[in-house]
Amino acid sequence: MAYVITDKCLGEQYAQCVAACPVECIYPGDYKGEKFMVIDPELCINCGACMPQCPVLAIVENEDASPEWAAVNKAQAPAFKANAKVEPRPANDPPKKPEHKLQ
Ligand code: SF4
């Protein structure tokens, strides 16, 4: 099992989770024209360190919690892995989309 980044990250890409990951398996990229992040299910060790870092609660703890986005994370991970790291947005930066609420 692996943690999964869901559509709440779409258009946000806070990237606060990246520094928390001990195996560096969270990658940035664009998905359908919007900024996004994915977790590489081949490398994730299910430690849970990333989850509390997300200001909009975009991370869920396994594939069963979001099969649709688990498939997206898995499919995009090989391509996103090659992307340059991004500068994290401040955790208190207001979400770009009004439906994404800061927690
Ligand atoms: Fe990285 Fe742990 Fe989050 Fe998996 S659960 S993406 S290993 S921080």
Side-chain angles (χ1 to χ4, degrees), residues 33 51 61 75 83 91 96 101 103:
M51 197 170 174
E61 60 190 352
N83 291 337
K96 308 273 189 203
K101 306 279 186 232
Q103 303 299 315

Side-chain angles (χ1 to χ4, degrees), residues 3 17 20-23 25-26 39 43-51:
Y3 279 62
C17 52
C21 180
V23 295
C25 71
I26 308 177
I39 291 172
L43 299 179
C44 176
I45 58 170
N46 297 308
C47 70
C50 53
M51 197 170 174

